[in-house]
């Protein structure tokens, strides 16, 4: 077999056989195929797509690159969730503690930032001391004891996704339905839960852009689930606007803490919906009953206590979370009403501020980001603060106009 023939075949939009995918991706994992050839193959896949059979085959290859967790020693209903990715999506940090407070268990394998969307692993690492590289033994022990633990892909668990994911992020090859399905579902199957909820985001601020693609994604995710005897449920949700008020690693952790302490916004509503779905799947109870349990876990602070336990168990210290001391207040140029906050433009602004990686090797400054002070339909007066930018000391002054442009205001 020859890697150039395989790249060429996909460039010509031809179907790749299991053996060809295996040769290319395992060759990449074993360092026999360099970054530039895998990048070319990923780009050909992005442009020409992979069919259902290729997605199923590649998912299998990804899973087999590591081990599948043996979760038989975990007591209690085990569930798992994953989001397909969107701007400001911090749902895992809220849902994990809620479901743990309700007696469920979640062994969550997450990823880093991908394209214009942040990643749970980067967000959690913004908590000083937080360890996303637990041993499998410690990971399962924490899931059993506390109900919730989060780790990154590693040498034992879908190492193929760890390597390919980082390359996709640095080569603008994130937005492929097939590659997203392979990446997410391989992590979910390897994590061992038989009850999986996928939060399928589509829109300007998501990796998946259209509702039709979100449906296609759901179908293939369910098909992969069937192959591995897992119940997969998909909830499709629009993301033309950022999810919640904070964007940027530390700032998103702080907003997750606020939600667990009772802050109300659309993010909270969505988290309650997702948590209730997981609780109803795990406990086999009806949705309304499950929703009540999720709501109670926030109201009586049990979910927040779980969050604290979870962070402490993984070595983090929330009192040391740091946001940048350099702030830029972005003010409205007119009186009117906010009719749109464009999630894609917000994500580009976050990139310009420095929230994401440009190369695989980049270290991110977790303290940077954006806080939206106004929401959709809010009335604003000239000079009202629309958002606060947490920036580097020597920030590029052009970001001010870029920030103003994220808000569409209908003049009075
Ligand atoms: N989340 C993942 O884990 N992988 C993707 O490709 C997209 C979102």
């Amino acid at each position: 077999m020859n890697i150039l023939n395989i790249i060429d075949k996909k460039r010509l939009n031809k179907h790749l056989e299991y053996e060809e995918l295996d040769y290319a991706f395992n060759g990449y994992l074993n360092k026999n195929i360099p970054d530039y050839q895998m990048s070319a193959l990923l780009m050909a896949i992005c442009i020409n797509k992979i069919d259902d059979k290729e997605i199923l085959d590649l998912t299998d290859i990804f899973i087999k690159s590591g081990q599948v967790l043996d979760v038989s020693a975990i007591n209690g209903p085990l569930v798992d969730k994953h989001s397909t990715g969107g701007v400001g999506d911090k749902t895992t940090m809220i849902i994990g503690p809620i479901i743990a407070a309700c007696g469920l268990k979640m062994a969550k394998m997450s990823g880093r930032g991908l394209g214009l969307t942040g990643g749970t692993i980067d967000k959690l690492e913004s908590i000083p001391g937080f360890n996303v590289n637990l041993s499998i033994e410690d990971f399962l022990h924490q899931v059993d004891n506390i109900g919730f633990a989060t780790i990154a892909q590693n040498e034992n668990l879908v190492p193929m996704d760890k390597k390919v994911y980082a390359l996709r992020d640095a080569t603008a090859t994130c937005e492929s339905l097939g590659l997203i399905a392979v990446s997410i579902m391989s992590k979910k199957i390897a994590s061992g839960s038989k009850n999986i909820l996928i939060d399928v985001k589509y829109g300007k601020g998501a990796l998946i852009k259209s509702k039709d693609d979100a449906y296609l994604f759901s179908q293939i995710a369910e098909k992969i689930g069937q192959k591995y005897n897992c119940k997969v449920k998909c909830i499709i949700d629009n993301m033309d606007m950022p999810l919640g008020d904070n964007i940027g690693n530390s700032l998103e952790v702080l907003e997750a803490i606020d939600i667990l302490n009772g802050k109300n916004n659309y993010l909270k509503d969505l988290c309650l919906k997702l948590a209730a779905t997981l609780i109803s799947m795990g406990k086999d109870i009806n949705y309304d009953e499950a929703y009540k349990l999720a709501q109670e876990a926030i109201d009586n602070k049990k979910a927040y206590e779980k969050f604290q336990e979870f962070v402490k168990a993984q070595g983090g210290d929330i009192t040391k979370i740091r946001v940048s001391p350099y702030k830029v207040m972005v003010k409205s140029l007119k009186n009117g009403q906010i009719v749109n906050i464009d999630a894609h433009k917000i994500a580009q602004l976050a990139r310009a501020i420095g929230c994401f990686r440009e190369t695989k090797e980049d270290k991110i400054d977790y303290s940077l980001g954006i806080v939206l002070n106004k929401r959709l339909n809010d009335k604003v007066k000239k000079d009202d603060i629309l958002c606060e930018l947490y920036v580097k000391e020597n920030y590029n002054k052009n970001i001010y106009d870029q920030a103003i442009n994220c808000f569409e205001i209908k003049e009075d």
Side-chain angles (χ1 to χ4, degrees), residues 82-85 109-112 114 117 153 161 165 168 174 176 179-184 187 207:
H82 210 92
S83 163
T84 55
M109 206 191 313
S110 293
R112 297 190 179 278
L114 195 61
T117 67
Q153 317 95 313
D161 187 53
Y165 194 100
R168 284 168 63 208
C174 307
S176 148
L179 292 176
I180 298 172
V182 168
S183 165
I184 291 180
K187 285 195 284 292
L207 292 178

Side-chain angles (χ1 to χ4, degrees), residues 212-266:
D212 286 350
D213 275 352
Y215 276 113
L216 283 178
F217 178 90
S218 306
Q219 280 167 358
I220 186 69
E222 282 162 16
K223 214 167 176 177
I224 297 171
Q226 270 164 21
K227 178 172 166 190
Y228 296 92
N229 289 322
C230 295
K231 192 157 111 198
V232 175
K233 206 169 181 152
C234 295
I235 290 186
I236 295 179
D237 191 42
N238 176 268
M239 216 206 223
D240 283 334
M241 273 180 270
L243 189 52
D245 301 324
N246 295 14
I247 298 100
N249 295 292
S250 303
L251 289 165
E252 293 197 34
V253 176
L254 293 175
E255 187 174 22
I257 292 173
D258 287 346
I259 298 282
L260 290 169
N261 280 311
K263 171 178 167 174
N264 289 311
N265 60 14
Y266 174 71

